[in-house]
Amino acid sequence: MGFGTIINLALVALVAFLAGPISHFVHITGFFLTPNSTVLSEGQGPIYIEDTIHCEDVHHYRPANLLFTACEDDKSTRFSWFPPLGSLLPLKAQGSIHVVDPKSMKSTRLAFEDFQGPFVTHGIDVIEDPEQSDAVYIYAVNHMPNPAHFEAGEPKDIPKAQSQIELFHHTINSKSIRHVRSISHPLIKTPNDIYAISPVSFYVTNDHFYREGPMRLIEDVWRPAKWSDIIHVRIADLSKDAPIEASVALTGLWNNNGLGRGRTDKEVIISSAMGGEIFLATRHESNHSISIDTSIAFASSLADNPSYYDDPYRTDSHDASGYLVAGVSQAIHLLANAKDPNALDAVQVWYTTLNSSTGVWEKKVLFEDDGTRIRTASAAVLVPIEPKDGKKLAWLFVTGFMSESMVAVQVEL
């Protein structure tokens, strides 16, 4: 660790101490946490999904019972160029979109059509093509290096990253994915995750205001630094050069990060990464704004990309529908580990359901690991299994931005 990094960490620690509450900072960073690994019985896994390197996000597309994810494919990329972790040494790389079959536990890497150049993956979202029921549109964050910065001699007033959104079209069960267009706008600065409304309308989080430096670190640990926002974007049509409109849908959250679909088509799940909590919110079609309805805090770990599990086997006595959020449980080590391919980053996946009798959110850790089975966790989804002997079972798929492969484990809900 360099002297500059030590100074930055000291500054961050001082700000965190002054801002308080220090107990929250200690919980979320996992300073005193001892990593544990969930004990799995025979038949529970883990199953490692081959060819899923550094896949930050995953979505379960229920109509086709398939998982979609965006992967980096190359183990070296994350440790040199990944703006969300402050890694800004330019590297030409092209990740890809993968489809995972939860029955065969196999991944298929889709071949690009009409798309070349850098593709540094992050959050995605998947929606049905309204005109073709066996096809989907996929929005994906792309953290491209900014040629203008490096060609101009790396001036400070031109950002190093030219992050934008890519829109793709995919026919289910085909082996390829077609690039529709790229989407960039001055309001899209540090994109993290996407909530798609239609092929021409979506929300995207900016997880930081500052792209790098000490102020970015302060954003991570200083609770009053509520400078991140959510942007609504609309494109006129699906042509390559159609006009783009964007507006601020929500501000005032600390380090808003992942987005997920909730119980209804109007509910948006928003995570505050360093806040260790998720917000249940409502999107308003009249002005594209988002309003917060409630929040759910977790005892430890970062809160990354959230998802909602809609229990298809619910009964009056047992409805296992609930929210999942995956995260790194010892964030205190993340900054130092971000450049180390051999480091371990412990993980936790939390699951919360609403007790209809008490109105209390009941929370439990569905899966945790010390980093040996999976390094980092940034997204998790549940795929249901038909109940056996009265037990509610599901396959839990977990992936991370520095995980060498997605893992699947069987859990009881």
Side-chain angles (χ1 to χ4, degrees):
M1 184 182 297
F3 180 73
T5 302
I6 294 173
I7 293 298
N8 287 342
L9 286 173
L11 177 61
V12 167
L14 175 62
V15 170
F17 176 78
L18 294 175
I22 193 65
S23 60
H24 169 81
F25 181 75
V26 170
H27 271 303
I28 297 304
T29 59
F31 189 81
F32 294 115
L33 183 141
T34 299
N36 293 307
S37 296
T38 300
V39 176
L40 300 172
S41 301
E42 184 178 354
Q44 289 185 304
I47 297 174
Y48 297 93
I49 312 300
E50 295 183 2
D51 193 29
T52 53
I53 299 171
H54 298 175
C55 311
E56 196 268 351
D57 196 6
V58 62
H59 286 261
H60 182 208
Y61 183 65
R62 292 286 291 268
N65 192 29
L66 293 171
L67 308 182
F68 286 86
T69 186
C71 305
E72 212 45 51
D73 299 333
D74 185 335
K75 295 180 183 179
S76 66
T77 304
R78 282 283 190 260
F79 302 102
S80 60
W81 177 266
F82 191 52
L85 282 179
S87 300
L88 295 166
L89 296 175
L91 179 71
K92 292 183 178 180
Q94 187 182 67
S96 59
I97 305 293
H98 294 237
V99 179
V100 176
D101 184 341
K103 292 183 178 180
S104 67
M105 300 292 183
K106 301 294 184 183
S107 170
T108 300
R109 186 186 303 204
L110 302 177
F112 285 128
E113 298 177 16
D114 305 322
F115 185 64
Q116 296 179 342
F119 182 39
V120 180
T121 61
H122 204 172
I124 67 169
D125 199 10
V126 184
I127 57 168
E128 184 180 54
D129 180 345
E131 299 180 355
Q132 184 182 344
S133 60
D134 66 339
V136 294
Y137 283 98
I138 301 174
Y139 282 100
V141 173
N142 182 7
H143 292 294
M144 298 171 54
N146 187 356
H149 174 86
F150 299 99
E151 292 170 1
E154 303 190 31
K156 292 183 178 180
D157 60 336
I158 301 178
K160 294 179 182 178
Q162 182 182 301
S163 299
Q164 60 189 33
I165 311 300
E166 310 294 350
L167 178 59
F168 298 95
H169 186 267
H170 170 68
T171 300
I172 301 296
N173 295 325
S174 71
K175 303 298 183 182
S176 63
I177 186 167
R178 176 176 58 87
H179 186 244
V180 177
R181 64 163 296 163
S182 299
I183 302 164
S184 59
H185 190 276
L187 288 179
I188 303 174
K189 298 177 180 178
T190 57
N192 185 302
D193 201 13
I194 300 168
Y195 179 109
I197 303 170
S198 76
V200 295
S201 177
F202 65 93
Y203 293 96
V204 57
T205 54
N206 284 313
D207 57 24
H208 287 79
F209 181 84
Y210 292 93
R211 289 180 167 92
E212 57 181 313
M215 289 300 295
R216 181 185 174 94
L217 295 177
I218 288 173
E219 277 191 87
D220 285 335
V221 299
W222 191 39
R223 198 176 188 87
K226 299 180 178 182
W227 307 324
S228 58
D229 55 24
I230 299 177
I231 305 300
H232 175 261
V233 181
R234 182 172 181 83
I235 53 179
D237 55 54
L238 294 176
S239 61
K240 295 283 186 182
D241 300 316
I244 300 169
E245 296 180 355
S247 60
V248 177
L250 180 66
T251 60
L253 294 183
W254 178 31
N255 194 205
N256 64 198
N257 191 285
L259 295 173
R261 302 180 183 282
R263 294 163 290 189
T264 69
D265 64 355
K266 295 293 189 297
E267 185 174 76
V268 184
I269 318 168
I270 308 166
S271 70
S272 168
M274 285 303 297
E277 60 187 322
I278 60 173
F279 299 91
L280 306 184
T282 300
R283 64 179 183 89
H284 304 281
E285 292 184 345
S286 59
N287 59 5
H288 305 300
S289 66
I290 294 176
S291 59
I292 301 296
D293 300 317
T294 189
S295 65
I296 307 170
F298 298 91
S300 62
S301 83
L302 299 179
D304 217 312
N305 299 311
S307 66
Y308 178 70
Y309 175 67
D310 188 13
D311 180 9
Y313 301 109
R314 68 173 63 87
T315 64
D316 291 339
S317 60
H318 187 188
D319 183 355
S321 301
Y323 299 90
L324 287 97
V325 62
V328 176
S329 55
Q330 286 191 302
I332 192 71
H333 302 309
L334 191 58
L335 181 64
N337 290 351
K339 305 289 195 302
D340 184 357
N342 300 312
L344 299 178
D345 290 284
V347 309
Q348 289 180 330
V349 178
W350 285 84
Y351 170 62
T352 181
T353 57
L354 181 63
N355 186 313
S356 58
S357 300
T358 64
V360 174
W361 290 101
E362 298 177 346
K363 309 159 195 171
K364 67 177 180 179
V365 175
L366 265 189
F367 175 75
E368 58 184 325
D369 193 68
D370 62 4
T372 56
R373 292 180 291 195
I374 181 168
R375 177 184 177 182
T376 70
S378 50
V381 295
L382 287 167
V383 176
I385 299 172
E386 188 172 349
K388 298 177 183 178
D389 301 323
K391 294 181 179 179
K392 290 287 185 75
L393 303 174
W395 282 105
L396 173 68
F397 290 81
V398 187
T399 189
F401 50 87
M402 289 193 290
S403 60
E404 293 200 3
S405 64
M406 184 185 301
V407 300
V409 296
Q410 191 176 118
V411 295
E412 183 176 351
L413 304 176

